[in-house]
Amino acid sequence: MKLGVVLRAENLIREKEFRRNRVVTPHGPVDRIFSGTLHGVETHFLYGRFPGRRTPSWEIPYQANQSAFDELDVGHQIGTYVVGGVDKSVRGGDLVIPHDLISFSGPSVSMPPGNGRFSNAHVVPAFCPVLRSLLIRGARETGTAVHESGVYFNFYGFARIETDAELNLMEKLGVRLVGQTLDPEFTLARLRHRHYVAIAVAIDSYHDMKNEAEQDPDVFRARSRQAIADGRESFERIIEAGLATRGDDPAEKCGCDRVATGNHRDMFSSFPEDLL
């Protein structure tokens, strides 16, 4: 197992003396990879999705990030996220391990298939059940309160928060959290047949988003920064504890690396060109 984690893991990088790597990819160099071993698992931390200052979601170098994990032969990936809570049970600072995803829009971001033949990613279930169990177990081991399930609504490509109507629709759909960055990272990783899981921290709640204009912006920003900082530290503890107690269950049980075999191509593959 080789694990890639998208996380600014300040404490683990320092305490475990992870080394900084520069990985050259077909989509440009990635110089913020920190590599080492965590409880016997080769682990690579991608220190943030974007280099330098914060950038809009549509400018994140998703292809370069995934190509860096390709170059490092990463087969398992954990994505960490900052989100908004939609379900009224989620408050600012809460942690959520989503079990499914809704993504109705996204960029024209793609990567060439690893085997030279295009096929759609198999995403049922959306997130690797083995990695989800690892995170849930890590949360329980550390006594960290988390919502152990939830649907993430990917709201990609808009430089604004959600409208009242959109929040109402999400709530009716049973959505628990909303964010802008899970896809296309999720899709690109699954196209590479990577085992993928997500964990998120909510910086605000359903009520906060609906009434943001009534809040003191400085108070809101300070609260959000604290939630993010606390969330990152919790992510580190959960991941480390999960790896420390992961056991010997083979990841193949989850079916995340399922591909078409034999003479009959599965429903997720594209049609041969000579039939079009």
Side-chain angles (χ1 to χ4, degrees):
M1 175 178 175
K2 294 184 180 180
L3 178 66
V5 185
V6 184
L7 175 62
R8 298 173 187 265
E10 302 276 2
N11 298 319
L12 288 175
I13 288 170
R14 182 179 61 254
E15 293 169 6
K16 305 298 182 181
E17 298 182 341
F18 275 47
R19 66 188 183 281
R20 186 169 185 169
N21 281 337
R22 184 177 188 269
V23 181
V24 178
T25 82
H27 299 278
V30 178
D31 63 358
R32 58 194 190 283
I33 298 281
F34 290 83
S35 303
T37 301
L38 199 56
H39 295 289
V41 176
E42 181 180 323
T43 304
H44 303 277
F45 287 106
L46 174 62
Y47 194 83
R49 286 184 175 79
F50 42 83
R53 63 180 179 80
R54 184 178 179 181
T55 190
S57 56
W58 56 89
E59 292 183 5
I60 293 173
Y62 290 104
Q63 295 105 319
N65 294 344
Q66 292 304 310
S67 292
F69 284 149
D70 284 346
E71 296 294 328
L72 295 166
D73 197 28
V74 165
H76 296 71
Q77 184 176 338
I78 299 174
T80 64
Y81 296 91
V82 176
V83 299
V86 177
D87 186 319
K88 290 185 175 66
S89 68
V90 177
R91 309 301 300 178
D94 283 9
L95 304 185
V96 184
I97 301 172
H99 72 278
D100 215 334
L101 165 70
I102 296 174
S103 185
F104 287 152
S105 62
S108 54
V109 173
S110 63
M111 294 174 67
N115 61 2
R117 190 182 81 183
F118 171 77
S119 65
N120 291 309
H122 180 82
V123 292
V124 180
F127 301 114
C128 175
V130 173
L131 286 180
R132 284 196 76 251
S133 294
L134 183 149
L135 293 180
I136 291 170
R137 186 174 62 252
R140 292 174 179 175
E141 288 285 333
T142 57
T144 305
V146 299
H147 298 271
E148 296 183 357
S149 65
V151 175
Y152 182 120
F153 192 104
N154 196 76
F155 186 82
Y156 182 89
F158 301 99
R160 61 170 174 82
I161 64 169
E162 298 71 37
T163 67
D164 189 42
E166 288 165 345
L167 287 172
N168 287 332
L169 174 62
M170 291 178 203
E171 186 182 31
K172 291 176 181 177
L173 291 173
V175 169
R176 176 157 275 177
L177 56 162
V178 59
Q180 291 195 357
T181 50
L182 200 156
D183 230 2
E185 177 174 300
F186 163 77
T187 298
L188 294 179
R190 294 299 298 120
L191 282 170
R192 320 310 279 176
H193 305 294
R194 261 193 271 284
H195 305 261
Y196 191 93
V197 75
I199 184 170
V201 58
I203 60 171
D204 51 17
S205 67
Y206 178 88
H207 175 80
D208 293 332
M209 283 189 287
K210 287 172 71 71
N211 299 281
E212 187 178 59
E214 300 174 8
Q215 299 183 51
D216 183 326
D218 292 332
V219 173
F220 178 79
R221 279 193 290 269
R223 188 172 67 243
S224 298
R225 290 194 195 98
Q226 190 61 54
I228 293 170
D230 293 345
R232 284 176 180 160
E233 291 189 2
S234 295
F235 295 157
E236 291 185 75
R237 292 194 300 270
I238 288 170
I239 292 168
E240 183 178 17
L243 288 174
T245 58
R246 72 188 181 99
D248 298 317
D249 290 339
E252 288 74 18
K253 285 183 178 180
C254 64
C256 292
D257 55 359
R258 185 181 306 166
V259 295
T261 59
N263 296 324
H264 302 284
R265 304 175 73 180
D266 67 18
M267 64 181 288
F268 305 102
S269 298
S270 60
F271 290 103
E273 286 79 359
D274 58 1
L275 295 183
L276 298 179

